[in-house]
Amino acid sequence: MDSHARDMFDEGNAAFNAGRYDDAAAAFASCLAREPDRVEALYNRGNALQKAGRLIESVESYLTCVRMAPDFAPVYCALAEALRGLRMFGDAKAMAQEAAARMPRDVDTLICLAGKHFDLGEFPEAARFYGEALALDPLHAGVLNNLANALHCVGQVDAALVMHERCYRLEPDNPTWRYNRALAMLAAGDFKRGWAEHEWRRREPVAPQAGPLWRGEDPAGRRILLVAEQGLGDTLQFVRYAPLVAARGATVVLEAQPGLERLLRSVPGVAEVVPRGASAPTDMHCLLMSLPWLFGTTVQTIPATLPYLAPPDALRTAWATRVGDEPRLRVGLVWAGGARPDDIDCEVIDRRRSIGNPALLSRLAEVPGVRFYNLQKDRAGLPAELDAVDLMGGVADFADTAALVAQLDLVIAVDTSVAHLAGAMGKPVWMLSRRDGCWRWMQDREDTPWYPTMRIYRQRTQGDWTEVLGRVATDLRALAAAHQPRRAAPAAPADPATAPATAPAAPRTAKITGAGNGPILRGPARIPA
């Protein structure tokens, strides 16, 4: 390497290590202009472009490196990470397999390969390769954490907890490892330890402007802001604790994500609902999902008095008029979760919890005596055979959705916010769960103490929705045969409460991932000096 090329190469490495990735990519490009066959510069340029978010360019740089030096093994893992970022999950796994074929005893390579299997829901394979990595490095906390997540997803929660315990002993102050450990404890029904461990999900102040954090002391006479966190479904599930805080003498101010404000005003004991991020004069604040811990919730003491959510009466009546009279069994359908293109780990989960091919729902069209209603917002795809009524164009927020759900006899939904909504309203809901179901549904249960009117239909084989919908169709046939028609409610005069609300914005998502989310990786690139 000539002196100028060497200077550019060293400058690129220095910029990369300082986090100036665009500058690093430019420096490596200058090096390559002098020596275009320099494999290390091509590889490092790809790494810098990937870190800068310029994924297509990084893939091009890596592929050039592969063509020039097909036996340069590290490039395959780096290419796998870039392809993952482009949501090309199958190609990413293929590149990771190429890396492992060349470096079968490299820990980082095995982590990369295991992670690509995890993304595709291939959890036994993920566990296998994490296990191989652990055999090479038994004190690697990240591998222990990832292996625990994979074991959790195959239903081996006890084995997952053993791995989590080993990880905890190595790095007891790592909040991500502790949070994942909490999810395994909660899935196992160990609420006493699980809720306490769950507090590791946030280690920084969330709403310091709202006063100090409430830690369960006597709140009588104080205004407490309950802070919404994570997804819409989490808020709908845990807002049940707001009346308990009010019952202790507090004035409860509830923060809500866009689209939930109008509905959450129906929660008993809530004095005021404010938009997320708005400043409200309060004395103290508390994260909504910390309330189960503060109230010492066990599986037996989950507060499940239903309903604790309801649409405004006038809105319910208006939607009854829209729906009209229908003698058949009224069934609402939701087949997909909300897309989160800005969060790849959440997107990976959404691919598993959603029915990727809604044409599979045509199986339900074979059931006589059922009238289907679309409850899926901003997504098309229901099979024409279902002849579903679609009124979602008139739905502006969750109060509208709740008013529509109130007219139905049953909601059939994948694990998303509408399933929580129906459960909180006391509406019969059949929840379709991926095999690696969320921690809140615990293990191998068809019911849940969170929602007494919910029935869970779990995949028996990962990714197999056909078998799930077969069971649903059988049970739906029996329910429709026993159905007694109801009469429509009389029309009511227009009311301001029925006015359309602002369309909901994309929810804020949690930044810490857990079991069922993308595993924690050590980074795709090692930079040759």
Side-chain angles (χ1 to χ4, degrees):
M1 185 180 292
D2 70 33
S3 61
H4 180 74
R6 167 58 68 181
D7 288 344
M8 291 297 97
F9 187 81
D10 291 343
E11 181 179 322
N13 282 342
F16 187 98
N17 292 330
R20 295 184 288 109
Y21 302 119
D22 286 310
D23 292 342
F28 291 128
S30 295
C31 175
L32 289 164
R34 299 290 291 253
E35 298 191 15
D37 60 347
R38 183 62 56 185
V39 172
E40 295 90 341
L42 274 169
Y43 173 65
N44 286 6
R45 179 173 180 267
N47 293 341
L49 289 167
Q50 183 178 167
K51 287 287 190 179
R54 297 159 61 183
L55 296 179
I56 293 176
E57 294 175 82
S58 75
V59 168
E60 292 170 349
S61 190
Y62 291 140
L63 288 176
T64 302
C65 186
V66 167
R67 286 192 292 269
M68 292 178 57
D71 292 327
F72 182 59
V75 72
Y76 293 98
C77 272
L79 181 53
E81 293 302 324
L83 291 169
R84 179 183 191 261
L86 292 169
R87 279 57 171 173
M88 299 172 66
F89 297 107
D91 292 323
K93 184 180 81 170
M95 290 301 100
Q97 289 171 327
E98 288 287 341
R102 289 164 171 79
M103 298 188 295
R105 293 185 58 79
D106 180 77
V107 172
D108 287 343
T109 299
L110 292 169
I111 291 172
C112 177
L113 178 56
K116 303 307 164 285
H117 282 290
F118 196 104
D119 285 339
L120 292 167
E122 298 167 355
F123 302 121
E125 293 84 355
R128 171 193 161 192
F129 289 112
Y130 283 134
E132 289 186 13
L134 187 64
L136 294 170
D137 189 352
L139 300 181
H140 192 310
V143 172
L144 284 164
N145 171 79
N146 292 1
L147 176 57
N149 287 347
L151 291 170
H152 186 168
C153 288
V154 297
Q156 298 180 28
V157 178
D158 290 342
L161 285 168
V162 171
M163 295 299 108
H164 278 306
E165 185 65 25
R166 289 175 60 184
C167 182
Y168 163 73
R169 290 180 183 279
L170 287 171
E171 294 186 8
D173 295 324
N174 186 304
T176 300
W177 307 163
R178 297 287 294 268
Y179 177 72
N180 289 344
R181 183 177 181 234
L183 301 189
M185 290 174 173
L186 293 170
D190 184 356
F191 280 18
K192 182 176 181 179
R193 291 195 304 159
W195 291 126
E197 198 75 351
H198 194 246
E199 291 302 292
W200 280 82
R201 71 196 183 283
R202 292 290 179 93
R203 306 308 299 167
E204 72 282 351
V206 175
Q209 75 282 359
L213 192 65
W214 182 54
R215 301 182 182 277
E217 62 270 31
D218 183 7
R222 300 184 179 186
R223 286 172 59 87
I224 295 183
L225 176 69
L226 300 184
V227 180
E229 54 174 315
Q230 301 194 29
L232 298 169
D234 297 294
T235 298
L236 294 172
Q237 179 178 0
F238 292 100
V239 75
R240 70 183 68 212
Y241 285 88
L244 303 186
V245 179
R248 293 187 60 183
T251 298
V252 173
V253 180
L254 178 62
E255 180 191 81
Q257 296 101 319
L260 287 180
E261 298 101 319
R262 191 162 57 142
L263 175 65
L264 294 183
R265 294 189 185 103
S266 71
V267 178
V270 172
E272 184 179 353
V273 177
V274 298
R276 168 171 274 172
S279 73
T282 52
D283 302 309
M284 311 182 81
H285 76 280
C286 181
L287 296 177
L288 198 58
M289 293 177 70
S290 291
L291 293 172
W293 172 59
L294 293 175
F295 281 94
T297 302
T298 66
V299 174
Q300 294 74 29
T301 63
I302 289 173
T305 301
L306 301 178
Y308 60 85
L309 287 176
D313 289 340
L315 195 61
R316 182 196 299 260
T317 303
W319 274 95
T321 301
R322 295 187 196 184
V323 172
D325 202 3
E326 173 54 65
R328 290 172 289 181
L329 185 75
R330 304 176 182 187
V331 178
L333 294 176
V334 180
W335 70 91
R340 299 177 182 178
D342 60 332
D343 189 326
I344 191 169
D345 292 326
C346 288
E347 183 176 333
V348 165
I349 293 179
D350 191 55
R351 286 169 176 258
R352 298 201 301 271
R353 69 169 174 166
S354 299
I355 299 175
N357 180 12
L360 295 174
L361 293 165
S362 61
R363 176 71 179 273
L364 304 182
E366 304 167 4
V367 180
V370 177
R371 185 59 159 166
F372 293 103
Y373 293 79
N374 177 42
L375 294 177
Q376 189 77 50
K377 188 72 170 171
D378 300 328
R379 192 176 298 200
L382 272 181
E385 302 95 298
L386 290 173
D387 191 28
V389 177
D390 190 348
L391 301 173
M392 294 303 288
V395 168
D397 64 3
F398 272 83
D400 279 318
T401 303
L404 174 54
V405 166
Q407 313 311 314
L408 307 179
D409 301 299
L410 171 69
V411 170
I412 298 175
V414 295
D415 186 1
T416 189
S417 55
V418 177
H420 287 278
L421 173 65
M425 292 174 63
K427 181 68 62 176
V429 52
W430 294 356
M431 199 271 287
L432 314 181
S433 174
R434 64 189 194 269
R435 180 71 186 92
D436 59 307
C438 183
W439 59 269
R440 73 195 76 217
W441 312 126
M442 294 188 280
Q443 296 293 300
D444 302 319
R445 292 184 65 146
E446 294 183 355
D447 66 338
T448 170
W450 292 103
Y451 301 113
T453 61
M454 177 180 284
R455 180 172 180 180
I456 301 173
Y457 290 79
R458 296 178 188 268
Q459 290 177 347
R460 291 171 177 166
T461 302
Q462 187 70 38
D464 185 2
W465 289 116
T466 300
E467 190 276 336
V468 171
L469 290 168
R471 281 185 278 139
V472 169
T474 297
D475 293 345
L476 187 61
R477 187 180 299 273
L479 185 64
H483 174 63
Q484 296 295 321
R486 61 176 177 173
R487 300 178 64 184
D495 186 277
T498 67
T502 303
R508 184 173 66 186
T509 59
K511 292 302 180 187
I512 293 179
T513 62
N517 294 2
I520 310 303
L521 299 173
R522 288 179 64 184
R526 289 171 292 184
I527 305 176

